[in-house]
Structure formats: structure tokens, C-alpha cells
Amino acid sequence: MICRSLDYYMLVMCFVVTLPQRCRTELPPPPFNLSYEWIDPFFIRLTWQAHPLNPNCSLKYILHAPHKTLGFNYSVKECKLLVTDLNSNVTLTLKTTASTWPSRCPYEGSNPVSIVVPRQVQLVTDFKFFLYPPCDGGSSQTPLCGQQATWTPGNGTSGLSVSYRLCDQASDKLSLCQDNSSGLQQGCHLTGLQRKEKVCILFRGTVEGRALNQTFKRFPHKHIRTFPPNVSVSEQEGRLKISCSMPRPAQTHGSTASTTASATAPQ
């Protein structure tokens, strides 16, 4: 009885030891020479090289970037990425992965490679971007019509200039932001933009003798503000009269509309 048990055990062990090696999985070859270059103030070009393709496999690349994951064919060796709002370092991770077909492909899983885009020096702080309702049928250029950007200059920042463009346009289409500053907080007025277009904003300035950039990306339709109320105070028969007028966007050029509420209080 003991001999029969030993014979069975030896048979099982022999079967396990002689399993075909092709049942084991391997890691697909990772990309190498991963690097990037700035092609304009907002976009980088990420490039890499690939190992020769296994004829039994269908491979592709997966790129993990902040807030997105992108897939590329194995023949692709570069991609263009929008990189803004660099308040901290940004890590980009690229890996090779195999499809489940054909079944002879021995690869499973991958070894990722990463590269870091360093943070930008903060030329400005407290940056805000707002879209206000159109004024005078959308044709007026008064300070509270259209898009407004405000900020506070950072310590040691000098020579600030602000420009912008739609993020999907060519890099030579930058427009200068019209200055609208007052006091310590500075601001400017952006024109010619639509609510659902992605806007790229570029600050150029100098800190300790170094010329630097700081960039932002905003979606106007996610930052809508209404006009502040018009408040006036007058005296009538020994009482103070407070009037509040809520402006509304005009439907035609030159027309105005408002809703007025008033209250009185003793002096």
C-alpha cells in the first residue's frame, strides 16, 4: 500500500517538473529612452523607443498622465501633451502591454517607465478666471463684459505680461490680455472667446534675474459669475433709502434692463 502511494506521488512530481516552459509568462519589453521637450509654452512632445516586436504578439503602449490614460499602437513613438498648472511635479508613466490574441504570446503584465516634468516657479498666486454675461448684445468692451482674470504677483516677481489663446490653436496665436489692474491685486480682460472653448493663459515674468513662465488652463463655462448689484444710498424725509439694481444682459445693443428693490431705514 505504501509503495503504491509512493509511485503515485513520484508520477505527479514528474508531471509537474516536465510542464512545457511556454506556460510560463514573461514581461513585455518596456519602452526605453523616454524623454520630452517643450514645443510651446503649453505643450510637450513625449518621445520613446521600442524593442523589436515579437511576431507572435500584438503589443501596445499605455500612457498614464494626470487625469487621463491614453493608448497607442506599438508603431507609435511619440505623442503631444497639454501640460499646464504645474504647481507640483507631474509624473508621466509609459508601459507596454499585450493583447490576449494571439494566444501564443508569452507576455503578461509590464514594467512601466516614468519621467517627471518639474513644477513651475509661482510667478503669481490667487489666480482666478471668470466669465461674465455679455453686455450690450455682446459687443461692449466695458471691464465687466466677457472673461476676466485676476491674480496677486508673487514675491520677487517683476515684468509680468499676460497672454492667452485657445488651447487647440497654433502656438503663434497668442493675444495680449488687456490690463485692468487696481491696487495689489492685478487683473486683465480677455476678448474673442466662447463659453465652451478651452483657454490657455501664459504669464511671463522675472524672478531673481531669471525669465520664467507660468501657465493655466481654464474652461470658461465652468467659471461663470453674474454681475454685482448696483447699490445706491439716498436721503428721503429724514430716512436713508437703499436701492439695489440687479443688471441683466441686454438683448440688443445699447439697451439696458434691471430689477430694482429698495428699503428705507431711519437715520
Side-chain angles (χ1 to χ4, degrees), residues 129-133 195 219-226:
F129 177 91
F130 296 109
L131 172 67
Y132 287 92
R195 288 191 178 190
F219 294 88
H221 65 282
K222 294 183 179 180
H223 300 272
I224 297 177
R225 269 191 178 180
T226 58

Side-chain angles (χ1 to χ4, degrees), residues 52-99:
L53 180 64
N54 187 322
N56 295 325
C57 295
S58 176
L59 301 179
K60 63 180 180 179
Y61 292 113
I62 301 295
L63 174 65
H64 293 286
H67 313 300
K68 67 174 63 177
T69 298
L70 304 173
F72 302 98
N73 202 308
Y74 198 71
S75 61
V76 175
K77 301 298 183 293
E78 67 175 49
C79 71
K80 181 180 175 182
L81 289 174
L82 176 65
V83 182
T84 62
D85 297 82
L86 283 165
N87 297 321
S88 59
N89 294 345
V90 170
T91 300
L92 306 173
T93 301
L94 186 69
K95 66 179 181 180
T96 310
T97 186
S99 67

